[in-house]
Amino acid sequence: FFFFFFFQAEDGIRDLVRSRGLGDVYKRQVSTQSTWDYIFKRKMFIEIAAAETPSDIRNYFFGYLGIAFALVLANVGSAYGTAKSGVGITVMGVNRPDLIVKSVVPVVMAGILGIYGLIISVVINQKIGGMDNDKYTPKMAFAHLSAGLCNGFSSLAAGLSIGLVGDAGVRANAQQEQIYVGMLLSLIFSEALGLYGLIVAIIIS
């Protein structure tokens, strides 16, 4: 322990002698820090300027990322809504098989959400593929990414809502058939969430 501090102090004295005083050490630290700050700021400026280049490959990265978000998130919502509602239909069909066809509505509405993601993905892909490298700007890339996120998360939220409402609705409908109209209204407004995302995504893209 003693030798450790001894060698540390000796190194500090040696650096002090080489630098001809603490003032020079502070000056060199300030100068070095300002130099590195300038380098990083300069590098950051170069990267920002390079990102504004229309033919940069990063533009295509964000554009195709929007396609992935639109399709994957919409399919996740569709899968959850279908699976959750399907479980309720299966349990209900054991005692009331006559209501199975009537209770398939949540599954159909959940499956439509995947179509929303497919539509936006095809639209964005056609717009990306139909442009030259010098015409696909960062603004278009971010717009396509935003469109994919809008559609994807809206469809995901709609799928969660449809799954929960469909599962509880078909079970309750087996006991009280007057609940069916209320269940349909809840499903329609849940589906509207995905439709809102689809409309906004088409406008943005």
Side-chain angles (χ1 to χ4, degrees), residues 9-65:
E10 184 180 1
D11 293 338
I13 295 173
R14 187 182 301 110
D15 294 337
L16 179 62
V17 173
R18 291 179 180 176
S19 61
R20 298 186 303 277
L22 292 176
D24 190 22
V25 174
Y26 293 144
K27 289 180 181 179
R28 287 193 299 168
Q29 290 178 352
V30 173
S31 177
T32 304
Q33 184 176 2
S34 61
T35 303
W36 282 108
D37 289 342
Y38 173 79
I39 292 175
F40 284 124
K41 290 180 180 178
R42 183 68 177 175
K43 183 179 179 181
M44 186 179 299
F45 175 76
I46 294 174
E47 290 181 353
I48 294 175
E52 296 296 332
T53 304
S55 60
D56 197 333
I57 193 173
R58 280 173 287 191
N59 299 339
Y60 290 97
F61 170 77
F62 288 111
Y64 285 107
L65 191 63

Side-chain angles (χ1 to χ4, degrees), residues 113-155:
L113 299 176
I115 300 177
Y116 293 164
L118 178 63
I119 292 173
I120 294 299
S121 300
V122 172
V123 170
I124 296 176
N125 184 61
Q126 288 180 349
K127 291 188 176 182
I128 294 176
M131 293 182 182
D132 298 331
N133 292 339
D134 56 345
K135 292 183 180 180
Y136 193 63
T137 61
K139 180 181 178 180
M140 296 179 180
F142 291 139
H144 292 160
L145 176 61
S146 177
L149 290 174
C150 288
N151 182 81
F153 278 108
S154 297
S155 298

